[in-house]
């Protein structure tokens, strides 16, 4: 009998620039995060996106666990081709667990996609890349996504805007010192002014802007969102154990513990979730079927 300690299997450290750990706990966090987003938005694909009745192809860039694509299968024709891409396969489910029309593969969104994928997709979806976008410039990822699109295809990009996070103490004088410090870790890691500018960046890059909207979490979700921040901080600390300066991981863990105490005393942040939808200029004579 072989005994494998939990610490050996729970987390994998990133060999790329992903700032968090990977493993079953981070994957569970991503799946919780998906359902919180779904409840806040009320849709997977923006209602302005037309769904074809046959032969539809959708790509999810930065797919993580692939949960967005797997859940999308309930709303698209079985003939649809749903492909998820991520720089790491560490959080992919086993292929036997995937719906028959979902495929996951490794691909770096910061580089040009292979020619075999260019011009293939009716829709490309992106969510939550603010932790890996460098120098306040999303255009490398944007160009990658646009190369995947067919003429007339849609790009939907979803981001949470940390610049608009602000504390909402439910009880007078509830402290938020640790919560604010956790948020500042992400605000200070990479410039994030580009998030609010995505609609303008879409237009400058050659996409027709279809929609630009902002959403907030439902009030009853706020405690869950704040617990999600604490989980994310734990993932960050695990990554810092391997790559960060001495003591940095312990500092993040202490902030997470302090933040959770503040949450239990009634402190919350309001989250702003942004969705931008653009369409690649070109002939779209094939895309003439129903909407969903």
């Amino acid at each position: 009998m072989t005994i494998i300690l939990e610490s050996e299997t729970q987390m994998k450290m990133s060999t790329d620039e992903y700032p968090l750990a990977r493993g079953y706990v981070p994957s569970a966090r991503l799946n919780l995060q998906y359902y919180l987003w779904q409840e806040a938005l009320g849709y997977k694909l923006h209602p302005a996106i037309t769904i074809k009745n046959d032969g539809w192809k959708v790509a999810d860039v930065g797919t993580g666990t692939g949960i967005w694509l797997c859940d999308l299968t309930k709303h698209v024709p079985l003939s649809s081709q749903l492909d998820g891409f991520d720089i790491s396969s560490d959080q992919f489910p086993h292929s036997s667990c995937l719906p028959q029309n979902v495929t996951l593969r490794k691909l770096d969104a910061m580089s040009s996609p292979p020619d075999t994928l260019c011009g293939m997709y009716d829709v490309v979806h992106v969510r939550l890349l603010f932790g890996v976008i460098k120098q306040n410039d999303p255009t490398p990822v944007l160009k990658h996504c646009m190369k995947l699109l067919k003429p007339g295809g849609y790009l939907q990009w979803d981001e949470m805007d940390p610049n608009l996070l602000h504390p909402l103490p439910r009880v007078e004088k509830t402290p938020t010192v640790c919560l604010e410090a956790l948020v500042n870790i992400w605000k200070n890691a990479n410039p994030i002014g580009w998030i609010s500018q995505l609609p303008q960046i879409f237009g400058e890059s050659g996409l027709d802007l279809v929609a630009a909207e902002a959403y907030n979490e439902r009030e009853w979700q706020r405690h869950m969102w704040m617990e999600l921040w604490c989980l994310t901080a734990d993932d960050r600390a695990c990554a810092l154990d391997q790559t960060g300066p001495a003591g940095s991981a312990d500092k993040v863990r202490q902030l997470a513990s302090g933040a959770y105490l503040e949450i239990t005393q009634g402190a919350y942040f309001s989250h702003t979730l942004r969705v931008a939808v653009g369409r690649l200029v070109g002939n779209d004579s094939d895309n003439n079927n129903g909407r969903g």
Side-chain angles (χ1 to χ4, degrees), residues 52-250:
K52 294 174 64 174
N53 289 334
D54 190 43
W56 213 48
K57 295 181 180 180
V58 180
D60 186 31
V61 173
T63 196
T65 65
I67 188 171
W68 184 86
L69 284 175
C70 291
D71 203 25
L72 184 65
T73 60
K74 298 184 296 188
H75 306 281
V76 298
L78 185 60
S79 61
S80 301
Q81 176 181 328
L82 308 179
D83 296 336
F85 303 109
D86 203 288
I87 196 171
S88 170
S89 61
D90 287 345
Q91 291 174 281
F92 291 176
H94 190 272
S95 58
S96 63
C97 298
L98 295 174
Q100 66 183 62
N101 56 346
V102 173
T103 301
L104 306 180
R105 60 179 284 187
K106 291 177 66 174
L107 190 65
D108 184 359
M110 299 294 183
S111 61
S112 293
D115 291 343
T116 53
L117 296 178
C118 291
M120 176 180 288
Y121 294 98
D122 299 283
V123 176
V124 174
H125 174 258
V126 184
R127 177 172 291 173
L128 285 177
L129 292 187
F130 74 83
V132 297
I133 297 294
K134 303 298 183 183
Q135 299 179 334
N136 204 37
D137 183 14
T139 53
V141 175
L142 182 57
K143 289 178 180 179
H144 175 98
C145 294
M146 290 176 65
K147 287 180 179 179
L148 295 175
L149 283 174
K150 295 177 180 179
Y154 296 93
L155 171 62
Q156 177 178 317
W157 193 320
D158 312 331
E159 285 289 345
M160 191 270 292
D161 193 343
N163 282 324
L164 296 183
L165 283 168
H166 59 276
L168 292 173
R170 297 292 297 272
V171 180
E172 188 176 0
K173 297 183 180 180
T174 302
T176 57
V177 175
C178 293
L179 280 174
E180 293 185 61
L182 281 183
V183 170
N184 285 335
I185 290 174
W186 293 105
K187 286 184 178 181
N188 298 331
N190 293 309
I192 50 178
W194 62 271
I195 296 174
S196 62
Q197 298 300 313
L198 263 181
Q200 177 182 339
I201 296 170
F202 274 22
E204 293 171 349
S205 300
L207 292 171
D208 283 344
L209 185 64
V210 175
E213 297 174 358
Y215 304 81
N216 296 108
E217 77 277 34
R218 298 177 186 270
E219 185 173 354
W220 61 264
Q221 289 184 303
R222 285 178 180 159
H223 189 87
M224 299 178 213
W225 274 94
M226 302 320 302
E227 289 178 327
L228 187 66
W229 272 102
C230 294
L231 285 170
T232 305
D234 285 341
D235 287 355
R236 178 60 179 152
C238 288
L240 289 172
D241 281 332
Q242 303 296 318
T243 63
S248 58
D250 289 339

